[in-house]
Amino acid sequence: MKQVLAGLLLCVLATPALAQVTVLTAHRIHTMDTNQPQAQAMAYDASGKILALGDAASLLQRYPAARRLDVGAATVVPGLIDAHGHLPSLGMSFLRVDLNGTRSKEEILTRLKTFAATLPKGAWLTGRGWDQNDWPEQAFPTAADLDAAFPDRPIWLRRVDGHAGWANSAALRAVKRDLSGSWQPDGGVIRRDARGRPDGVFIDNAMDLMDATVPAPDAATLEHALELAMHAAVADGLTGVHDAGITLEELRAYQHLADQGKLPLRVYAMAFGDGPALDWLCANGLYRHPSGRLQMRTVKLFADGALGSRGAALLQDYSDDHGNRGLYVTSPEAMAAATAKARRCGVQVATHAIGDRGIRMTLDAYAHALGTDSGSDHRWRIEHVQVLAPEDLPRLVQLHLVASMQPTHATSDMPWAEARLGPQRVVWAYAWRKVRDAGVPLALGSDFPVESPDPRLGLYAAVTREDAQGNPPGGWYPDEKLTAFEALRGFTLGAAYAGFAENEIGSLAVGKRADFVVLAQDPLAVPEAQLRTLAVKATYVDGKPVFEAP
Ligand SMILES: [Zn+2]
């Protein structure tokens, strides 16, 4: 009798909660959890907390009143996390002319003219995505290339890697500072013609001169841009993005959206440089929005430039530009000060470092700032780790750093990277296999909008090291390939770890969040070439659909 009563009581108490439970059933669920790598069913509650994983029959028996979500023959994987992207830039790119994929200056002019027709008279025309390496002449452009078609409308076009920009003469005239003479800014280059006048191309820190001239977007435009970017991201299967460097204004825009329940995915934001956003973190402490969709506890620093524009700091000369070893964009002294400040404030550091000299300077700064605490759970990161000096790999291990790498950079850069680096250094470039095998935690991402935000392209690049057409057959420096499982881990649990979130997301396990992607095909079973065309049927965050394929 007592037992029956207790049973009845349990039923009564449990029923309202049970009614809220969802049981998801699929052909296969890859959990990325080593205790239970595969399942056919997953139960989660109304808040999106995972209650159980197992086979369909036993979960349906355990939760008889549950809402059913049967995805049939589809495969479910944990939500994909891009450990390094730029949502504000991606969003603004939807409001600017996209020059990605253009093969000549003529093609660029055609796109500019089409886009200009949509703008008010005299408004700035901004764009991004040109790459002189893709043009027949393979040389930097000049303002004159734009002036005939656009004598009055100011134009400012960032290179595909964001480390150089191209202005027309109307834009040069708008710069407040006197550009005449032969002076150069720290950490940047104003390219000049034979008579010493700026020729229209600005490299690295020199771009600040133009960026300060372009009118800033207002708050409403910024929020609109962020929403566009996040909706694009979830359509590609992303449930989280580490936003690699935002301003306080951008944090405010995210907070405003989060307050209204308008963040469809989790944003792990980094404060941009040693500036107001880091000071805000130091003054207010590590930040987490109550929704769990927005955090900031990291500062993004910059050691050097990029390889494409020869701004990455190398220990030896560029193989295709003797006498040039690239440049630091932050001095070692400023890097030491910023990392020490972050350490005092308990802030995670993530530093852009591409060249072997940039990486070494970052390692020196980290070693100094962390001191005897390098074994603590700091999870300081190096972003990109593109060209590594072999003797520095053990230092990444000793300092307990996370390597945040972008597989599509390798396949985008492989046509010219070896020319920049020569045959010896290139073996240690984009070397995620060496990094991973040394025991360095690997977080994968895309660096969108430098690359596409689509993580399927990253999985494909990590596993094949081939371009979209399958070249070179067998892959570029194929020893560095990851398996599909390792690549998926980098885009899930690896990225979650880099964001201190592996107990919450990154795998599907009891107590974690029901962030997952429904794929038409099984990414761990399809031929590698099909990884880039996996069909995303739906994306769920906290157990709720944030994208469903039409
Ligand atoms: Zn970046």
Side-chain angles (χ1 to χ4, degrees), residues 124 143 155-156 165-186 188-193 195-214:
W124 279 72
I155 297 183
W156 175 233
W166 171 22
N168 68 346
S169 293
L172 292 173
R173 283 195 297 273
V175 176
K176 298 267 192 311
R177 216 166 138 186
D178 183 7
L179 297 176
S180 64
S182 59
W183 66 277
Q184 295 291 354
D186 281 346
V189 175
I190 302 168
R191 284 176 59 94
R192 294 177 184 280
D193 64 18
R195 292 168 53 190
R197 297 170 306 188
D199 77 358
V201 169
F202 296 76
I203 295 171
D204 283 312
N205 287 358
M207 291 190 299
D208 296 348
L209 292 160
M210 290 306 308
D211 290 339
T213 307
V214 181

Side-chain angles (χ1 to χ4, degrees), residues 396-422:
L396 270 82
V397 182
Q398 284 154 15
L399 291 168
H400 294 89
L401 303 183
V402 175
S404 168
M405 301 181 76
Q406 298 74 34
T408 42
H409 279 342
T411 49
S412 293
D413 298 357
M414 64 189 179
W416 47 262
E418 187 157 352
R420 296 276 191 283
L421 298 170

Side-chain angles (χ1 to χ4, degrees), residues 191-262:
R191 284 176 59 94
R192 294 177 184 280
D193 64 18
R195 292 168 53 190
R197 297 170 306 188
D199 77 358
V201 169
F202 296 76
I203 295 171
D204 283 312
N205 287 358
M207 291 190 299
D208 296 348
L209 292 160
M210 290 306 308
D211 290 339
T213 307
V214 181
D218 58 23
T221 305
L222 181 56
E223 284 182 30
H224 177 56
L226 288 175
E227 288 199 85
L228 293 174
M230 291 188 289
H231 285 107
V234 294
D236 286 335
L238 289 171
T239 59
V241 169
H242 294 194
D243 200 325
I246 66 165
T247 62
L248 269 186
E249 291 70 35
E250 288 161 345
L251 178 66
R252 300 282 176 248
Y254 275 130
Q255 287 173 317
H256 191 229
L257 291 168
D259 288 344
Q260 302 167 77
K262 286 185 176 173

Side-chain angles (χ1 to χ4, degrees), residues 246-248 271-282 296 299-301 338 341:
I246 66 165
T247 62
L248 269 186
F272 183 88
D274 184 2
L278 175 60
D279 291 341
W280 183 86
L281 272 183
C282 286
M296 189 159 81
V299 63
K300 167 80 179 295
L301 302 175
K341 182 187 199 174

Side-chain angles (χ1 to χ4, degrees), residues 1-20:
M1 182 65 185
K2 207 172 168 187
Q3 257 176 3
V4 173
L5 269 179
L8 274 174
L9 194 63
L10 193 70
C11 269
V12 171
L13 287 176
T15 301
L18 280 178
Q20 313 269 343

Side-chain angles (χ1 to χ4, degrees), residues 38 58 89 107 183 192-193 263-264 284 287 300 337 369 395 410 412 432 434 473 500:
Q38 286 190 9
S58 60
S89 305
E107 195 181 347
W183 66 277
R192 294 177 184 280
D193 64 18
L263 294 187
N284 295 282
Y287 171 77
K300 167 80 179 295
R395 296 184 71 196
S412 293
W432 48 73
K434 289 188 189 76
F500 290 94

